[in-house]
Amino acid sequence: MSTAGFNSQNGTGTGQTYANGPSQNPVALQQLPGVNYGMTHQPPYNPMQTKAPIPPGPGLYPSGPYQPVPPVSAYQPGPPPTSYPAPPGQTLLTRPPMGGLPSHTPPQSASPSPGPRVPPAQATPPPPPVSSSGYYQNPQQPQPMAPAWQYNTAPPMMGPPTSMNAPPRGPVANHVNPAASSTAPLPPPPPSSAAYSSAPPGHVGHGALQPPGPSMPPASAHGYTQQGTVPPPMNPIAPHAYQPSRAPYGPPPTGPPPTMKPTPPPTGPPMASATPPPPKADAQCGGVVNHTLPPTEPDCQEGDIECPGSMAGNGPQAPNSYNHVDNKMAGQPQPGPPGRHLGHYPSLPPGYQNTSAPHNATSPMHPAMQAATQPYTQAPQPYQQPPGGPGPAQLSPSLAAMSLQSSTPEALRVVNLLQERNLLPPSPIPAPTPCLPQDLQKINCHPEVFRSTLTSIPQTQSLLNKAKMPLGLLLHPFKDLSQLPVVTSSTIVRCRSCRTYINPFVSFLDQRRWKCNLCYRVNDVPEEFMYNPVSRSYGEPHKRPEVQNATIEFIAPSEYMLRPPQPAVYLFILDVSHNAVETGYLNVFCQSLLENINSLPGDSRTKVGFITFDSTIHFYNLQEGLSQPQMLIVSDIEDIFLPTPDSLLVNLNECKELVQDLLKSLPSLFEKTMETQSALGSALQAAFKLLSPTGGRMTVFQTQLPNLGVGALQSREDPNQRASAKDIQHLSPATDFYKKLALDCSGQQVAVDLFLLSTQYCDLASLGCISRYSAGSIYYYPSYHHQHNPAQVECFQKDLKRYLTRKIGFEAVMRIRCTKGLSIHTFHGNFFVRSTDLLSLPNVNPDAGFAVQMSIEDNLDDMQVVSFQAALLYTSSKGERRIRVHTLCLPVVNSLSDIFAGADVQAITGLLACMAVDRSVTASLSDARDAMTNAAIDSLASYRQSVLTIQQPGLLSPACLRLFPLFILALLKQKAFRTGTSTRLDDRVFAMCQLKYQPLAYSMLMIHPALYRIDDLTDEGALNINERTIPQPRLLQLSVEKLSREAAFLMDAGTVMYLWIGRNCNPNFLTQVLGVPNYAAVPDNLYLLPELDTAESQRTRAFIGWLRDQRPFFPSLQVIRDESQRKISFMQNMIEDRTESALSYYEFLLHVQQQISK
C-alpha cells in the first residue's frame, strides 16, 4: 500500500495524517531485512514451525496470509522472514509480519528514516524479504512466518517527546526516607525484552530512566530519539524457540492425572519494607505548559485534567463537604486497610501503624484467590467415553497426591476440552477477583467500571510475552451508578509529580505525608485534608472519602476550567427527503421529543435548534416574539451560510411553545414531498457553524445514501458478494470528509450522534466516522418502516427516549494513568486523542465503553501491587465542572501459573474483538479471523508447555480459560467477522462499531448469546426485585441438541431477543403466555407478549423485562415458529453447531489441538 493511498483513506490524502483512528507513520509499514520493530527479540516459538491447514469447513479460514490482530498502534513484525515449502496440494497457512495499525497517537513524521536500520543479531541470517501482502518487494517468494501475537509491544518512537516526560521547572524535592536517597546506584539492567531505549509516544508509563551501561544506546534526556531518526538497537537477545517435546497423540493415557507446577514464593522483599526508587526528574508537568504541542494546546488548557492552574493545597481554604448522589452515605467509612502504610510511627493512630503485607500476597494459594476463582458451580460432565480405556477426565483421583491439586486454585484446575462437554456454567460468569489482601480487595474498583484482562500483572514483558495473552483494560467510566460519593472541596489532593488523584491505594507515612501509588513520590497532606467531613473529625486523613472509595466524583474548583461551563445545547438535523417521509420516522421523533422535552438534561440556559434537509437546507427561526416558527431555506449548498445566526439556537425555556409548535407541524410539512436527494454533508457543515461558538450535541437522522453536494457517496455494496467466503471489501471509509468534519467538531466541543434508519445501503463505514471521531454514538435500524416493521419502531421509540433523557457530560476529557513501569499504547472506542494520552470527548454518555492495551516497560520486581487510574473531567448538564476518578489495584506475580490463574476470559475476548475490528479495516477480514484463531492456539500452547508439568493427550486448558476457544469461535461466527453467510455490509460495519463502543457486559451478549428454556419457568431460585419475582432459568449451550419441539426457548443476543416456539410446544404455554389456542395460531410477526393475568405470563414477562432493564438499549423481541423464515437468524447464533461455511465447536477444538501439537 502506498503512503498516499494509506493516508487518503485515513487522513487527508495529501500525506498528512490525523492524530486518531487508522493513521500512522508509513515508515512503520515497511519491513526491512532482519529488522525487528517490536519490543522483544524473543520469538515466542520456532519460526520454522508452521501452522497446518485447517480441517474441512469452507470459508472459516481463508487460505490467504495469516496475520495476527495487532493493537491500534504502529504495531511491528517480529523475527526475520524465512521460507519453507508447503505440503503437496495444500495451501500453507502462514503468518506474515504484521503491518502497522491505526494509531490513536499524535501525528507522526511521515518521512522515511534517513539511513538504513541496523539489523539486530539473529540466530539465522535473514533471506530476502518477501510477502504477498504488499509489505515486501518480491511477491514471488513463499510467505515468511511471523511470531505469535505480540500483544503488548509498543510502536517505535517517531514523534517528539510529550508532556508526560517534560522536565518540571526547578528541582523536584524528594521526601523519601534518607535510606532511599543514599542507596547504591542501580546496576546496569540485564538484557530485557525492550528492543529500544526510547519510549513510544503513545506511552503513559512513568518508568525511570535506565542508568548508563554497556547496552544503553545514546538517547536524549527524555529517553527519546529525535524526530526523523531511527531508535538505535540495544544488545539483542538470542531468540528462544520452544519445541514442544512430546510424542504424537495416540490412544488415551492410563497414567496419573496431570501435576501442577508449584508456584515459588515471591523472591523480592515485601512491599512494606521495600524502599521505592526516587521519582525520575521528568515524570510529569506540574503546571508546566507542554511545549511540544501546538501553541493552541497548552497542557494546562481547560481540557487538561492534569495541570490545573494551582496545585493542591495552594488554593483558598474553603469548607469541604461530602455527599452521595442517589444514596446518602450512612455510618462511618471502613477503617483504612492496614497492609499499605509504610514507615514506622508507633505513636500514631492504628491506621498509620506499620503493618507489612503478607509474603504470600501474590501466591495463588491466597484465600482471596480461593474465593474468587470458583465461578463455575456445576461440575463438568464428560463425553461418553469411547472404547479403549478411560480418558483423563475419568482417571481415579487416588494419584492426586503426586501433584499439588490439593492446593491448586479452581482457576488452574486442568480441563480437557475434548472430554468435558458441559463447560458453560448455569448462570452468567462473574468477573474473577484479584488475589489481593481482603482489605484492599474490599475497596477495589468494581469490575463493571474498570476491568483488566489479567487480574495478576506479570513482573516483566518477557513473562507476559510467554503467556501469549493480551494485557489491557476495559472501562465504563460514566456508567450510571446507584451510589456515587461526591466531594466538594477547594483542594483536590493530587501527587505533585505525576498528578495522580489521592485514592485508597496510596500509603500514609504519617499524618502529614502520603506516598503516591503510581510514581512513589512523597507528598504533603494539605491542612484542609486533615478534616473528615463524614465523621466531622480532625487528624485522620486516611478516613477521608477520597481514601475510602475507589470510585469517587469531585466537584472541581475554578482552576479546572478555562472558560465558564458551557450550557446544554441540542441541535437536531433531520432528513426530510421522500425516502425519509416514507419510513415514517419523523412522526415518531417529533412525538417522542414532545413527550420528553421537559426531561432533556439541562438548566435555565439550555438551548435547542432544528435543521431539516433534502436537496436544500432548511433552518427554523424560533426567536421569542414570533407567532409561529419561520422556515428559512438555503439552496446554495456549495457555500453554506447561516441566514439568521442569532435566532436559530434558542433558549428552550423561553421559546418552548414555538418549539412545540414546530414539532407538531414538521411531519405534515413534508408529507407531500417528492424530493429524493440528500445533501447531508452541507447540513452537517451548517450545523457545525451553528454549534461552534458554544459546543454541544448534534443529533443526525439519516435514511439514505447522501448523494448531493459535499460528502456525497456512491453505493459500494455488491449484493452478490454478501455471502462471499473471500475477503470483504469496503470496510474503510470511501471519503475522509466525515472524519475531517468530526475532528473539527471535536475541536469545538461538538459531538455528533447518528441515527441511521434505512431500507437500503447507506455506507455506514463512511458515515460512521462523523460519530467515531467526535465521541458520538451510532444507532442503526435496518429495514425501518412504520408499517412493515413495527418491532423496529418500538426499538426506535425506546432508544430515543433513553437517548433524550439520559445523563450527559459536555466538553469532557479522560486520562488513564498507571504505576511506573507500565505503559498504555493503544485506545479503542469513540474519541479523538488530543495529546499522547488525553482522550477528547466533546460529549460523554453513560452507555459508552472504552478499551486500552498496555505493555510492561520496566521490570516490576520490587512491587507487590500496581495501580491504574482513570480520571474523567466533564461539565454536567447543570453547568458544574466535575471529575470522576476510578482507581484499580492489581497484584504483581512472577510465575506463569499465577498469570493464567488471574486471566479474565471475557475481558480478553472483548479486547481481542476490538483489536480484530481494527485489523479487519487496516488489513483484511481474513487476517483478523486467523489472528483470533491463533489467540486461542497460542495461549493454550503456552499453558501446555510452560505450566503443565505432565504432558498428556487432549486439549488441556486451565478452568479459567476453558470458555476461551468457545468465545473465539463465537467471534468468528459473529456478524462482524463471519464469512460464507449472507451479511449486508452496513450490518457488518455496525456490528464492528458495537464491539468497539459497547461496554463489555453488553458486547459479550452480542458475541455469545444467552439461551434459556422458558416454557417451564418456576419461582425456585427466583430473584425478588421491587416486589417482582424474577425467575432464573439456567443457561443452555448454543446447540440445536439443546432445543426440543415440546418446549419454548428464549435467546438473548444483546440487541435482539428470539422466542423460539417448538412445533409440539406445551399447549399450556401457548394459551397462558402467548394467548393463542394452538401452535398454528401463533402469528408470524408477533413482537409483543400479551399482558395476560396468569402466573405463567407474569413470570415470562418479568424475566424478559428484567433482561431488558440490564442494558441501555432496547432489544426487540421476535417470536419465531419452527418453520418461520426468521428461524435462520435464530439458528445462525447456534455457535456450537456446524454450518456450510463454519466449523462446529468440536471441530474447532480439534483444529486448535492439531495446531498445538505441531
Side-chain angles (χ1 to χ4, degrees), residues 407-734:
S407 59
T408 299
E410 163 65 17
L412 283 180
R413 180 175 59 82
V414 181
V415 177
N416 187 339
L417 300 180
L418 292 172
Q419 291 285 344
E420 300 193 23
R421 181 69 200 280
N422 296 319
L423 294 175
L424 198 67
S427 58
I429 313 165
T433 306
C435 180
L436 287 170
Q438 189 173 2
D439 59 335
L440 288 184
Q441 185 50 44
K442 185 169 56 178
I443 54 177
N444 217 351
C445 198
H446 196 283
E448 288 184 4
V449 174
F450 213 158
R451 193 161 170 174
S452 173
T453 57
L454 303 178
T455 58
S456 296
I457 305 299
Q459 275 190 354
T460 64
Q461 179 68 40
S462 60
L463 190 61
L464 178 60
N465 291 344
K466 199 172 181 182
K468 301 290 197 310
M469 289 188 291
L471 176 59
L473 304 171
L474 289 92
L475 294 89
H476 191 175
F478 205 53
K479 176 180 169 64
D480 286 326
L481 300 172
S482 58
Q483 291 186 341
L484 177 63
V486 178
V487 174
T488 304
S489 174
S490 62
T491 300
I492 297 177
V493 180
R494 300 173 66 182
C495 175
R496 295 180 69 89
S497 177
C498 70
R499 311 302 294 141
T500 294
Y501 294 81
I502 197 168
N503 61 79
F505 309 107
V506 304
S507 306
F508 282 89
L509 303 185
D510 53 36
Q511 286 181 313
R512 297 289 181 178
R513 294 185 302 161
W514 63 277
K515 180 174 287 185
C516 176
N517 55 319
L518 267 64
C519 73
Y520 303 113
R521 164 76 178 258
V522 177
N523 297 270
D524 294 331
V525 176
E527 184 67 30
E528 181 187 354
F529 202 74
M530 299 293 290
Y531 175 74
N532 187 349
V534 180
S535 62
R536 301 192 176 183
S537 60
Y538 184 85
E540 294 181 324
H542 66 285
K543 293 185 178 179
R544 290 264 309 194
E546 297 95 319
V547 192
Q548 292 296 318
N549 296 277
T551 290
I552 196 163
E553 186 152 287
F554 300 95
I555 297 180
S558 57
E559 59 258 33
Y560 285 83
M561 48 188 100
L562 193 64
R563 64 175 185 177
Q566 73 171 63
V569 182
Y570 305 113
L571 180 60
F572 300 95
I573 301 101
L574 307 165
D575 180 358
V576 292
S577 63
H578 176 74
N579 188 69
V581 174
E582 278 295 298
T583 65
Y585 93 89
L586 207 53
N587 289 285
V588 177
F589 164 76
C590 292
Q591 187 59 38
S592 184
L593 186 52
L594 279 169
E595 292 172 359
N596 297 288
I597 196 165
N598 293 321
S599 302
L600 289 177
D603 55 15
S604 59
R605 304 179 301 156
T606 302
K607 292 185 175 183
V608 295
F610 299 87
I611 294 175
T612 57
F613 67 95
D614 41 33
S615 61
T616 57
I617 313 300
H618 322 129
F619 299 90
Y620 296 89
N621 183 349
L622 300 168
Q623 193 169 20
E624 190 179 13
L626 292 176
S627 58
Q628 62 182 22
Q630 181 182 20
M631 180 193 286
L632 307 166
I633 300 177
V634 175
S635 56
D636 184 4
I637 60 173
E638 297 299 329
D639 186 18
I640 200 70
F641 65 94
L642 303 179
T644 56
D646 298 332
S647 59
L648 303 178
L649 275 178
V650 297
N651 185 287
L652 178 59
N653 291 332
E654 295 172 359
C655 307
K656 187 174 293 184
E657 289 186 4
L658 279 175
V659 171
Q660 291 171 328
D661 289 346
L662 175 63
L663 291 173
K664 291 172 184 175
S665 61
L666 262 182
S668 58
L669 204 57
F670 297 97
E671 63 183 356
K672 303 294 186 184
T673 184
M674 298 306 293
E675 184 61 68
T676 58
Q677 292 183 304
S678 172
L680 173 64
S682 300
L684 291 173
Q685 287 180 330
F688 171 66
K689 289 187 176 185
L690 195 54
L691 280 181
S692 288
T694 58
R697 183 176 76 187
M698 202 186 294
T699 308
V700 182
F701 296 85
Q702 176 73 5
T703 65
Q704 67 183 61
L705 198 67
N707 54 14
L708 190 65
V710 292
L713 299 170
Q714 294 179 340
S715 178
R716 299 188 290 165
E717 182 183 41
D718 181 359
N720 297 323
Q721 297 298 315
R722 287 178 180 172
S724 171
K726 300 178 182 179
D727 269 336
I728 306 300
Q729 303 298 318
H730 308 307
L731 295 175
S732 55

Side-chain angles (χ1 to χ4, degrees), residues 783-859:
S783 305
Y784 183 91
H785 195 275
H786 67 111
Q787 290 178 338
H788 304 154
N789 199 341
Q792 285 281 40
V793 174
E794 183 192 24
C795 279
F796 179 50
Q797 287 174 323
K798 297 290 178 65
D799 287 349
L800 193 56
K801 179 178 180 180
R802 162 76 179 171
Y803 172 79
L804 293 172
T805 59
R806 72 186 178 187
K807 185 177 180 180
I808 185 172
F810 296 100
E811 47 188 352
V813 287
M814 182 171 69
R815 177 165 277 157
I816 304 171
R817 295 182 173 84
C818 48
T819 297
K820 70 176 182 179
L822 295 168
S823 63
I824 297 169
H825 59 77
T826 300
F827 298 86
H828 300 274
N830 290 2
F831 49 76
F832 171 67
V833 180
R834 181 184 296 178
S835 62
T836 306
D837 62 332
L838 191 69
L839 301 187
S840 174
L841 306 169
N843 289 177
V844 62
N845 70 75
D847 306 333
F850 302 88
V852 298
Q853 289 170 243
M854 308 194 63
S855 59
I856 303 172
E857 280 193 323
D858 300 322
N859 291 355

